[in-house]
Amino acid sequence: LPGVQVGDIGPKAYGGFAKIDNGFVRFNKYGIPRENMLMRFAKVTRDGQYIKPPHSKLAYGSMVLLRSHMVRGASLTLARAATIATRYTTVRRQFNVPTSRRDTENPALETQVINYPMVQSRLFPMIAQVYAILAAGNTMRDMYESMLSELMKGDMTSLAEVHAISSGLKSTCTTFAATGVEDCRKIMGGHGYSYYSGISHIWSTYVPSNTYEGDNFLLTQQSARYLLKQIKVATTDPEKVTPFSKYVIKTLDQDTFTAERCAVKSGDDWLKPEVQLAAFEHRAGRLVGELAVVAMDQDVVWSDLNLECWRLCHAHSQYVLAKSAIDGVGRAQAEGLSAGTVTVLKRLSDLFALHTIQASLGDFLEDYFVSPAQCQSLRQQIKSLQEQIADDAVTLMDAFDFPDHYLKSALGSYDGNAYQRLWDCAQKADINQREVVDGYEEYIRPILHQHGPAKL
């Protein structure tokens, strides 16, 4: 078309998204018909008058839908990598070092890699993340569907909360997933770096999710701004504070809030959902309160608070994840799942919450909410949960029922025949179809023989 130029932007980093055509379009004095101007909410009349949408954030609806799908997608992506890593570390044996969990059926063989506590401490929290993010994805789906039915009636009450939570979860969950996929590669050792492991393709294709649909660092400002507004709502009408932001009400009484301490007396107390949620609520509440104080200073530029927004957003999102996981366990029990299944899901929920607290322990120690003695019992409880999950790790990942052709992994196949599959893949490589590489006879061989036949 005259005045229209289209083209491709070129290859992407790491060879990822190679099958996706990302292009550009340039219009040069090209008239676009008014009926093609995407005027579902904002409109332009025939005489050129601009009509604002009924709500300034109404256009966020489509973004919320996509970001809610990305939350669930983060779970499934991490699940693929964790499935490969779990299966391979179960097959892989290295060193004959005794561990508390042993392969009693094959005592003469070397130790399964998955039995080493160092591997368990890296792999099992990711399995817990898979299930927690999946639960949050279900929460986002329910919130979006409820919001959509409200919007159809002209009610925009929940739009702001759903947008803020979807923004925060998109940032947190895609970060978890991209980091986790790379950690799965490391867990698998040298073979994890092989293209045939399937991990590299998952990572290179998924890692841009940290950038598209909102950069994961800049996007955190959306959630932070929303939580600051919730503090204002709490001061005027606490009943209108949205469900996932109720903890901000406690921050209004600063004397009582700053005196709060973690209620853990023994290690088993860490397994109580109310104790876990209280810790996440306190951290998020403290961070939003501190941000509110700083933001009120007229000499402070908002962009200078990006780091504080990032910390607050992830604290709030991790609270949403933990609550979603806990609610998911309750839902599973209410739906009549077996007691054994509910027990395993409860362990995953506990491991996610406690490992997440441990990963950001400085935030909980900063105002003495958690004591040094509680830190020690926290670590012991995490170790105990990992030992309990070990027997169910393979089954937990097999539950996703990923077919081999989807995983595209020689090391993570369902039948566990990792080394034969790895050998077969290597034999099919182009370089292995010839005795010597192209150019050997013409260029390399003459150099090797220029001083006579080689002695070796």
Side-chain angles (χ1 to χ4, degrees):
L1 296 174
V4 180
Q5 181 183 3
V6 297
D8 190 86
I9 64 172
K12 274 74 72 177
Y14 314 116
F17 266 52
K19 298 178 182 178
I20 306 298
D21 292 328
N22 295 103
F24 65 84
V25 59
R26 180 183 182 187
F27 299 102
N28 183 15
K29 299 179 181 179
Y30 185 83
I32 299 175
R34 177 177 164 275
E35 62 182 9
N36 294 347
M37 296 296 287
L38 305 176
M39 296 190 295
R40 182 179 181 184
F41 300 119
K43 302 181 185 300
V44 177
T45 63
R46 292 188 180 280
D47 59 2
Q49 180 184 359
Y50 172 71
I51 301 176
K52 293 181 179 181
H55 192 285
S56 60
K57 292 182 174 58
L58 196 56
Y60 288 173
S62 59
M63 285 191 290
V64 168
L65 175 61
L66 185 54
R67 287 171 183 168
S68 65
H69 285 319
M70 290 184 70
V71 173
R72 185 177 178 85
S75 170
L76 298 178
T77 298
L78 183 55
R80 288 164 61 195
T83 297
I84 295 171
T86 301
R87 289 176 177 174
Y88 177 68
T89 55
T90 301
V91 172
R92 172 70 171 168
R93 293 174 181 271
Q94 194 168 17
F95 312 123
N96 197 1
V97 178
T99 57
S100 58
R101 183 175 183 267
R102 301 178 182 178
D103 182 4
T104 56
E105 296 180 2
N106 302 284
L109 298 180
E110 294 188 24
T111 304
Q112 290 172 287
V113 170
I114 200 170
N115 286 344
Y116 289 110
M118 181 61 75
V119 173
Q120 294 179 358
S121 67
R122 296 156 66 195
L123 178 59
F124 294 171
M126 278 192 284
I127 296 177
Q129 284 180 352
V130 166
Y131 278 82
I133 296 173
L134 186 62
N138 294 336
T139 298
M140 276 306 314
R141 178 198 60 206
D142 295 342
M143 292 181 69
Y144 176 78
E145 291 176 352
S146 175
M147 180 198 74
L148 192 61
S149 63
E150 292 174 1
L151 289 177
M152 299 300 289
K153 302 174 185 176
D155 183 1
M156 302 174 192
T157 305
S158 61
L159 177 59
E161 181 185 35
V162 177
H163 173 251
I165 291 180
S166 66
S167 298
L169 285 179
K170 184 271 177 185
S171 175
T172 299
C173 295
T174 57
T175 298
F176 274 160
T179 302
V181 171
E182 170 64 2
D183 286 341
C184 285
R185 180 196 66 77
K186 296 175 183 176
I187 289 169
M188 295 168 67
H191 281 154
Y193 194 64
S194 168
Y195 178 81
Y196 302 128
S197 72
I199 296 290
S200 63
H201 175 72
I202 295 174
W203 186 83
S204 63
T205 301
Y206 188 74
V207 74
S209 68
N210 284 215
T211 303
Y212 61 65
E213 293 305 319
D215 175 82
N216 277 6
F217 288 92
L218 295 180
L219 196 60
T220 57
Q221 296 180 64
Q222 303 282 351
S223 295
R225 286 183 185 275
Y226 172 76
L227 291 169
L228 289 177
K229 292 177 182 178
Q230 286 299 294
I231 286 187
K232 293 181 179 179
V233 173
T235 59
T236 56
D237 192 350
E239 293 296 324
K240 291 185 178 180
V241 175
T242 50
F244 280 104
S245 309
K246 292 292 185 183
Y247 61 80
V248 303
I249 298 175
K250 295 189 297 182
T251 66
L252 299 182
D253 185 350
Q254 274 297 298
D255 291 338
T256 302
F257 180 77
T258 54
E260 279 188 351
R261 295 294 181 267
C262 180
V264 168
K265 301 298 182 184
S266 67
D268 288 342
D269 288 340
W270 281 113
L271 303 180
K272 297 178 180 178
E274 62 273 19
V275 170
Q276 298 167 7
L277 292 179
F280 284 106
E281 289 176 350
H282 182 86
R283 174 178 62 154
R286 178 175 65 82
L287 292 176
V288 70
E290 291 175 356
L291 179 60
V293 171
V294 177
M296 285 190 295
D297 188 340
Q298 295 183 354
D299 295 330
V300 174
V301 180
W302 174 255
S303 60
D304 289 341
L305 302 177
N306 285 354
L307 182 57
E308 288 80 358
C309 290
W310 181 87
R311 290 181 64 201
L312 171 58
C313 173
H314 286 293
H316 180 70
S317 296
Q318 288 171 12
Y319 162 66
V320 174
L321 283 164
K323 191 174 189 310
S324 297
I326 290 170
D327 291 345
V329 174
R331 193 178 303 114
Q333 190 170 17
E335 292 175 355
L337 270 67
S338 68
T341 299
V342 173
T343 297
V344 174
L345 292 177
K346 174 66 165 62
R347 288 171 183 161
L348 287 174
S349 175
D350 290 337
L351 180 57
F352 172 78
L354 301 191
H355 179 268
T356 304
I357 291 173
Q358 180 183 245
S360 301
L361 203 51
D363 285 345
F364 300 92
L365 287 166
E366 193 168 322
D367 66 342
Y368 307 102
F369 179 77
V370 173
S371 70
Q374 290 169 336
C375 293
Q376 295 177 4
S377 64
L378 172 68
R379 283 192 290 270
Q380 289 302 315
Q381 194 58 253
I382 290 173
K383 192 172 182 178
S384 175
L385 286 168
Q386 289 168 173
E387 292 171 353
Q388 296 172 54
I389 288 171
D391 289 339
D392 299 300
V394 173
T395 305
L396 284 166
M397 301 320 301
D398 283 352
F400 284 88
D401 199 25
F402 295 126
D404 285 347
H405 73 82
Y406 183 56
L407 292 179
K408 298 179 181 177
S409 172
L411 305 181
S413 58
Y414 182 76
D415 62 12
N417 198 10
Y419 295 107
Q420 183 61 52
R421 288 176 177 269
L422 184 61
W423 171 263
D424 292 342
C425 287
Q427 298 313 300
K428 295 176 183 178
D430 290 341
I431 196 172
N432 290 327
Q433 304 310 306
R434 299 174 297 279
E435 288 294 326
V436 294
V437 298
D438 291 340
Y440 175 82
E441 295 292 344
E442 297 90 337
Y443 306 108
I444 300 177
R445 184 181 176 88
I447 294 175
L448 294 177
H449 290 267
Q450 62 181 339
H451 300 295
K455 295 181 179 180
L456 296 180

